[in-house]
Amino acid sequence: MRSCGAESLLDIGCGTGNLIDRIRTHVDRVTGIEPDAATARVAAARFAGNDSVVIEQVRFDQLRSPRQWEAITLVAALHHLPLVDTLRDLDRLLSPGGRLVVVGCFRSAGPIDYATGFVSSIANLVVGKIKHPHPSDQLPIEMTAPTTAPRETLTEIRCAAAEYLPGARIRRRLFWRYSLVYDKQRLRPSSGAPEHSDMPVRQRRPPT
């Protein structure tokens, strides 16, 4: 993931911190929240001593913060949460000019979904064999957290996003996934009216 130019990022459902580890050098402050206690402990230990990363063992609906973040990410987490309420909360937590990035799961409900799922099944076997050529009788820690099946179809997700995150861009992906990118509008200083603009790319200061 390339630099998003944000000073602060909230990773919801951060797991053991794999995404945070990839993007923390591009963001000044990262907050990761994870509801599963065992997984959150692994993430907290992983970034112990790193003042720029904070891991909290908390559910999203328990997050009580008056602050906003310039970037918010969710990977395979949105389907664990009530869709409409969560989209509203995400918009509230995202600062004007900020960016929301979701890689989510959806429920198959049509010929295109099933055709893509068939291709994904084959690709999943191939990729799994390449990444894990030797069988193992123990799951990695990031795969031991509780899971749930997606409830909403891709059409339902598109409709909800169109209403609560206007302008969000959604694309179907392989492996039963979709991506959603939403850039929140800025407010014009003079009128208070929203003004759309892309998130600025900020040059990170070199270390001293």
Side-chain angles (χ1 to χ4, degrees):
M1 184 173 180
R2 292 183 297 178
S3 174
C4 62
E7 292 187 356
S8 60
L9 181 142
L10 173 65
D11 187 27
I12 299 169
C14 67
T16 58
N18 290 338
L19 178 60
I20 292 176
D21 193 46
R22 295 186 62 181
I23 63 178
R24 60 189 172 88
T25 57
H26 304 293
V27 184
D28 289 342
R29 300 181 305 279
V30 179
T31 301
I33 64 171
E34 169 57 46
D36 183 66
T39 309
R41 283 195 297 269
V42 173
R46 184 174 186 173
F47 302 109
N50 188 330
D51 294 337
S52 65
V53 178
V54 175
I55 304 296
E56 299 182 20
Q57 194 263 303
V58 64
R59 297 199 317 264
F60 179 67
D61 60 359
Q62 295 175 325
L63 183 64
R64 298 289 182 265
S65 176
R67 66 174 294 187
Q68 291 181 312
W69 282 266
E70 293 184 4
I72 300 176
T73 54
L74 298 89
V75 176
L78 183 56
H79 69 284
H80 288 265
L81 305 167
L83 179 62
V84 169
D85 289 345
T86 301
L87 294 183
R88 288 171 172 164
D89 287 338
L90 289 172
D91 186 53
R92 174 179 56 82
L93 293 171
L94 189 65
S95 62
R99 173 167 290 181
L100 166 68
V101 178
V102 177
V103 176
C105 308
F106 63 90
R107 177 172 60 85
S108 296
I112 296 178
D113 292 346
Y114 292 121
T116 306
F118 176 74
V119 174
S120 296
S121 297
I122 298 174
N124 190 52
L125 291 174
V126 174
V127 173
K129 189 65 176 178
I130 294 173
K131 288 190 173 183
H132 307 285
H134 304 293
S136 174
D137 57 359
Q138 186 174 5
L139 288 173
I141 183 65
E142 60 266 21
M143 296 181 65
T144 60
T147 60
T148 187
R151 295 179 296 270
E152 292 86 13
T153 65
L154 188 55
T155 298
E156 291 170 333
I157 294 167
R158 289 184 189 275
C159 290
E163 182 171 358
Y164 298 104
L165 301 177
R169 305 178 298 282
I170 299 179
R171 294 183 61 185
R172 180 191 302 272
R173 303 289 182 175
L174 278 178
F175 306 115
W176 308 276
R177 299 288 194 270
Y178 68 91
S179 63
L180 181 155
V181 178
Y182 169 65
D183 293 315
K184 187 171 181 177
Q185 294 180 341
R186 293 180 178 276
L187 295 177
R188 293 194 185 101
S190 57
S191 63
E195 177 183 31
H196 186 275
S197 64
D198 292 332
M199 177 176 287
V201 176
R202 180 178 57 85
Q203 294 294 326
R204 187 175 175 84
R205 298 185 298 275
T208 56

Tab-separated table of all heavy atoms in Angstrom, residues 160-189:
chain	number	residue	atom	x	y	z
A	160	ALA	N	-26.283	0.841	-0.014
A	160	ALA	CA	-26.053	1.499	1.274
A	160	ALA	C	-24.943	2.535	1.164
A	160	ALA	O	-25.042	3.643	1.710
A	160	ALA	CB	-25.703	0.455	2.336
A	161	ALA	N	-23.878	2.199	0.443
A	161	ALA	CA	-22.770	3.139	0.284
A	161	ALA	C	-23.202	4.365	-0.507
A	161	ALA	O	-22.793	5.497	-0.198
A	161	ALA	CB	-21.595	2.442	-0.407
A	162	ALA	N	-24.041	4.171	-1.518
A	162	ALA	CA	-24.507	5.301	-2.318
A	162	ALA	C	-25.287	6.297	-1.467
A	162	ALA	O	-25.250	7.504	-1.704
A	162	ALA	CB	-25.368	4.800	-3.474
A	163	GLU	N	-26.017	5.785	-0.451
A	163	GLU	CA	-26.821	6.664	0.393
A	163	GLU	C	-26.013	7.318	1.507
A	163	GLU	O	-26.196	8.513	1.784
A	163	GLU	CB	-27.976	5.875	1.013
A	163	GLU	CG	-28.894	6.722	1.879
A	163	GLU	CD	-30.141	5.998	2.308
A	163	GLU	OE1	-30.331	4.828	1.899
A	163	GLU	OE2	-30.940	6.607	3.057
A	164	TYR	N	-25.110	6.559	2.127
A	164	TYR	CA	-24.428	7.064	3.320
A	164	TYR	C	-22.977	7.483	3.074
A	164	TYR	O	-22.415	8.207	3.897
A	164	TYR	CB	-24.482	6.010	4.426
A	164	TYR	CG	-25.894	5.690	4.842
A	164	TYR	CD1	-26.511	4.512	4.423
A	164	TYR	CD2	-26.630	6.584	5.603
A	164	TYR	CE1	-27.823	4.228	4.773
A	164	TYR	CE2	-27.935	6.316	5.956
A	164	TYR	CZ	-28.532	5.140	5.541
A	164	TYR	OH	-29.834	4.864	5.886
A	165	LEU	N	-22.391	7.033	1.957
A	165	LEU	CA	-21.035	7.459	1.575
A	165	LEU	C	-21.071	7.888	0.115
A	165	LEU	O	-20.493	7.237	-0.755
A	165	LEU	CB	-20.030	6.320	1.772
A	165	LEU	CG	-19.877	5.727	3.166
A	165	LEU	CD1	-18.893	4.561	3.141
A	165	LEU	CD2	-19.415	6.785	4.175
A	166	PRO	N	-21.763	8.975	-0.192
A	166	PRO	CA	-21.932	9.376	-1.596
A	166	PRO	C	-20.588	9.602	-2.285
A	166	PRO	O	-19.710	10.261	-1.748
A	166	PRO	CB	-22.743	10.673	-1.492
A	166	PRO	CG	-22.545	11.155	-0.085
A	166	PRO	CD	-22.384	9.937	0.748
A	167	GLY	N	-20.471	9.019	-3.463
A	167	GLY	CA	-19.218	9.136	-4.210
A	167	GLY	C	-18.255	7.991	-3.972
A	167	GLY	O	-17.197	7.941	-4.599
A	168	ALA	N	-18.611	7.053	-3.078
A	168	ALA	CA	-17.735	5.907	-2.814
A	168	ALA	C	-17.585	5.065	-4.077
A	168	ALA	O	-18.546	4.863	-4.824
A	168	ALA	CB	-18.296	5.064	-1.674
A	169	ARG	N	-16.383	4.549	-4.297
A	169	ARG	CA	-16.094	3.748	-5.480
A	169	ARG	C	-15.937	2.292	-5.050
A	169	ARG	O	-15.080	1.975	-4.229
A	169	ARG	CB	-14.827	4.268	-6.155
A	169	ARG	CG	-14.944	5.755	-6.474
A	169	ARG	CD	-13.720	6.363	-7.096
A	169	ARG	NE	-12.522	6.327	-6.275
A	169	ARG	CZ	-12.270	7.151	-5.265
A	169	ARG	NH1	-13.168	8.060	-4.898
A	169	ARG	NH2	-11.134	7.076	-4.598
A	170	ILE	N	-16.765	1.428	-5.610
A	170	ILE	CA	-16.776	0.013	-5.225
A	170	ILE	C	-16.434	-0.841	-6.439
A	170	ILE	O	-16.995	-0.650	-7.519
A	170	ILE	CB	-18.153	-0.399	-4.669
A	170	ILE	CG1	-18.480	0.416	-3.407
A	170	ILE	CG2	-18.190	-1.892	-4.355
A	170	ILE	CD1	-19.835	0.104	-2.806
A	171	ARG	N	-15.520	-1.803	-6.240
A	171	ARG	CA	-15.132	-2.713	-7.319
A	171	ARG	C	-15.160	-4.150	-6.820
A	171	ARG	O	-14.738	-4.429	-5.694
A	171	ARG	CB	-13.717	-2.379	-7.829
A	171	ARG	CG	-13.596	-1.032	-8.519
A	171	ARG	CD	-12.198	-0.813	-9.055
A	171	ARG	NE	-11.842	-1.835	-10.039
A	171	ARG	CZ	-10.636	-1.942	-10.590
A	171	ARG	NH1	-9.666	-1.099	-10.227
A	171	ARG	NH2	-10.391	-2.886	-11.481
A	172	ARG	N	-15.657	-5.037	-7.660
A	172	ARG	CA	-15.643	-6.461	-7.350
A	172	ARG	C	-14.206	-6.978	-7.468
A	172	ARG	O	-13.466	-6.629	-8.390
A	172	ARG	CB	-16.542	-7.208	-8.334
A	172	ARG	CG	-16.623	-8.710	-8.114
A	172	ARG	CD	-17.305	-9.365	-9.303
A	172	ARG	NE	-18.634	-8.829	-9.516
A	172	ARG	CZ	-19.727	-9.299	-8.932
A	172	ARG	NH1	-19.638	-10.330	-8.100
A	172	ARG	NH2	-20.905	-8.757	-9.173
A	173	ARG	N	-13.812	-7.840	-6.532
A	173	ARG	CA	-12.469	-8.422	-6.544
A	173	ARG	C	-12.568	-9.946	-6.502
A	173	ARG	O	-13.633	-10.508	-6.234
A	173	ARG	CB	-11.657	-7.924	-5.329
A	173	ARG	CG	-11.533	-6.415	-5.228
A	173	ARG	CD	-10.638	-5.836	-6.281
A	173	ARG	NE	-10.505	-4.378	-6.136
A	173	ARG	CZ	-9.699	-3.633	-6.883
A	173	ARG	NH1	-8.970	-4.196	-7.832
A	173	ARG	NH2	-9.636	-2.336	-6.690
A	174	LEU	N	-11.451	-10.603	-6.731
A	174	LEU	CA	-11.402	-12.046	-6.578
A	174	LEU	C	-11.449	-12.436	-5.099
A	174	LEU	O	-11.360	-11.585	-4.215
A	174	LEU	CB	-10.131	-12.605	-7.219
A	174	LEU	CG	-10.157	-12.825	-8.746
A	174	LEU	CD1	-8.797	-13.326	-9.221
A	174	LEU	CD2	-11.260	-13.795	-9.168
A	175	PHE	N	-11.567	-13.730	-4.852
A	175	PHE	CA	-11.574	-14.293	-3.498
A	175	PHE	C	-12.738	-13.761	-2.661
A	175	PHE	O	-12.588	-13.488	-1.473
A	175	PHE	CB	-10.232	-14.047	-2.794
A	175	PHE	CG	-9.052	-14.532	-3.585
A	175	PHE	CD1	-8.111	-13.649	-4.082
A	175	PHE	CD2	-8.899	-15.881	-3.852
A	175	PHE	CE1	-7.032	-14.101	-4.828
A	175	PHE	CE2	-7.828	-16.344	-4.595
A	175	PHE	CZ	-6.888	-15.457	-5.092
A	176	TRP	N	-13.904	-13.603	-3.335
A	176	TRP	CA	-15.151	-13.210	-2.650
A	176	TRP	C	-15.003	-11.869	-1.915
A	176	TRP	O	-15.553	-11.644	-0.864
A	176	TRP	CB	-15.584	-14.305	-1.667
A	176	TRP	CG	-15.645	-15.650	-2.319
A	176	TRP	CD1	-16.704	-16.157	-3.037
A	176	TRP	CD2	-14.628	-16.642	-2.336
A	176	TRP	NE1	-16.388	-17.402	-3.501
A	176	TRP	CE2	-15.127	-17.747	-3.075
A	176	TRP	CE3	-13.339	-16.734	-1.787
A	176	TRP	CZ2	-14.387	-18.894	-3.301
A	176	TRP	CZ3	-12.589	-17.876	-2.010
A	176	TRP	CH2	-13.116	-18.944	-2.750
A	177	ARG	N	-14.248	-10.979	-2.509
A	177	ARG	CA	-13.977	-9.680	-1.903
A	177	ARG	C	-14.452	-8.543	-2.813
A	177	ARG	O	-14.688	-8.714	-3.998
A	177	ARG	CB	-12.462	-9.492	-1.657
A	177	ARG	CG	-11.818	-10.497	-0.725
A	177	ARG	CD	-12.229	-10.256	0.715
A	177	ARG	NE	-11.392	-10.992	1.641
A	177	ARG	CZ	-11.634	-12.220	2.072
A	177	ARG	NH1	-12.716	-12.856	1.630
A	177	ARG	NH2	-10.824	-12.812	2.930
A	178	TYR	N	-14.570	-7.373	-2.219
A	178	TYR	CA	-14.779	-6.131	-2.962
A	178	TYR	C	-13.938	-5.054	-2.302
A	178	TYR	O	-13.513	-5.179	-1.143
A	178	TYR	CB	-16.264	-5.720	-2.945
A	178	TYR	CG	-16.759	-5.302	-1.580
A	178	TYR	CD1	-16.704	-3.971	-1.151
A	178	TYR	CD2	-17.260	-6.250	-0.684
A	178	TYR	CE1	-17.138	-3.606	0.116
A	178	TYR	CE2	-17.695	-5.894	0.572
A	178	TYR	CZ	-17.629	-4.574	0.968
A	178	TYR	OH	-18.045	-4.222	2.223
A	179	SER	N	-13.665	-3.995	-3.042
A	179	SER	CA	-12.971	-2.843	-2.460
A	179	SER	C	-13.878	-1.636	-2.519
A	179	SER	O	-14.661	-1.461	-3.468
A	179	SER	CB	-11.660	-2.545	-3.208
A	179	SER	OG	-11.922	-2.190	-4.560
A	180	LEU	N	-13.806	-0.821	-1.467
A	180	LEU	CA	-14.571	0.421	-1.387
A	180	LEU	C	-13.605	1.531	-0.991
A	180	LEU	O	-12.879	1.404	-0.001
A	180	LEU	CB	-15.699	0.295	-0.360
A	180	LEU	CG	-16.625	1.496	-0.141
A	180	LEU	CD1	-17.976	1.032	0.400
A	180	LEU	CD2	-16.040	2.537	0.821
A	181	VAL	N	-13.598	2.591	-1.781
A	181	VAL	CA	-12.762	3.756	-1.474
A	181	VAL	C	-13.660	4.986	-1.444
A	181	VAL	O	-14.411	5.249	-2.386
A	181	VAL	CB	-11.644	3.952	-2.525
A	181	VAL	CG1	-10.822	5.197	-2.195
A	181	VAL	CG2	-10.748	2.717	-2.599
A	182	TYR	N	-13.589	5.718	-0.343
A	182	TYR	CA	-14.444	6.891	-0.150
A	182	TYR	C	-13.584	8.062	0.295
A	182	TYR	O	-12.875	7.984	1.300
A	182	TYR	CB	-15.505	6.589	0.907
A	182	TYR	CG	-16.284	7.791	1.395
A	182	TYR	CD1	-17.122	8.510	0.551
A	182	TYR	CD2	-16.197	8.191	2.730
A	182	TYR	CE1	-17.849	9.599	1.011
A	182	TYR	CE2	-16.924	9.272	3.199
A	182	TYR	CZ	-17.746	9.976	2.344
A	182	TYR	OH	-18.455	11.048	2.809
A	183	ASP	N	-13.634	9.140	-0.467
A	183	ASP	CA	-12.940	10.380	-0.104
A	183	ASP	C	-13.974	11.373	0.418
A	183	ASP	O	-14.870	11.798	-0.326
A	183	ASP	CB	-12.217	10.972	-1.313
A	183	ASP	CG	-11.065	10.097	-1.770
A	183	ASP	OD1	-10.298	9.643	-0.900
A	183	ASP	OD2	-10.934	9.853	-2.984
A	184	LYS	N	-13.847	11.727	1.680
A	184	LYS	CA	-14.824	12.635	2.295
A	184	LYS	C	-14.584	14.061	1.833
A	184	LYS	O	-13.446	14.524	1.756
A	184	LYS	CB	-14.724	12.553	3.821
A	184	LYS	CG	-15.813	13.331	4.551
A	184	LYS	CD	-15.785	13.029	6.035
A	184	LYS	CE	-16.873	13.772	6.782
A	184	LYS	NZ	-16.897	13.435	8.225
A	185	GLN	N	-15.661	14.748	1.558
A	185	GLN	CA	-15.560	16.116	1.072
A	185	GLN	C	-15.010	17.051	2.141
A	185	GLN	O	-15.271	16.877	3.332
A	185	GLN	CB	-16.928	16.620	0.606
A	185	GLN	CG	-17.469	15.886	-0.605
A	185	GLN	CD	-18.828	16.413	-1.025
A	185	GLN	OE1	-19.520	17.072	-0.248
A	185	GLN	NE2	-19.210	16.142	-2.254
A	186	ARG	N	-14.289	18.050	1.673
A	186	ARG	CA	-13.827	19.107	2.571
A	186	ARG	C	-14.923	20.152	2.732
A	186	ARG	O	-15.882	20.202	1.950
A	186	ARG	CB	-12.582	19.781	2.001
A	186	ARG	CG	-11.362	18.874	1.957
A	186	ARG	CD	-10.183	19.624	1.370
A	186	ARG	NE	-9.000	18.801	1.357
A	186	ARG	CZ	-8.172	18.646	2.386
A	186	ARG	NH1	-8.427	19.273	3.519
A	186	ARG	NH2	-7.114	17.873	2.284
A	187	LEU	N	-14.766	21.013	3.723
A	187	LEU	CA	-15.676	22.140	3.904
A	187	LEU	C	-14.990	23.406	3.428
A	187	LEU	O	-13.841	23.675	3.783
A	187	LEU	CB	-16.084	22.280	5.369
A	187	LEU	CG	-16.902	21.126	5.958
A	187	LEU	CD1	-17.166	21.390	7.436
A	187	LEU	CD2	-18.207	20.953	5.210
A	188	ARG	N	-15.700	24.186	2.605
A	188	ARG	CA	-15.145	25.463	2.161
A	188	ARG	C	-15.072	26.415	3.357
A	188	ARG	O	-16.066	26.633	4.040
A	188	ARG	CB	-16.020	26.087	1.079
A	188	ARG	CG	-16.028	25.308	-0.230
A	188	ARG	CD	-16.628	26.166	-1.329
A	188	ARG	NE	-16.758	25.413	-2.562
A	188	ARG	CZ	-17.889	24.881	-2.999
A	188	ARG	NH1	-18.978	25.005	-2.269
A	188	ARG	NH2	-17.935	24.228	-4.134
A	189	PRO	N	-13.911	26.997	3.639
A	189	PRO	CA	-13.780	27.883	4.810
A	189	PRO	C	-14.755	29.044	4.784
A	189	PRO	O	-15.245	29.478	5.812
A	189	PRO	CB	-12.327	28.368	4.719
A	189	PRO	CG	-11.624	27.338	3.891
A	189	PRO	CD	-12.655	26.832	2.909
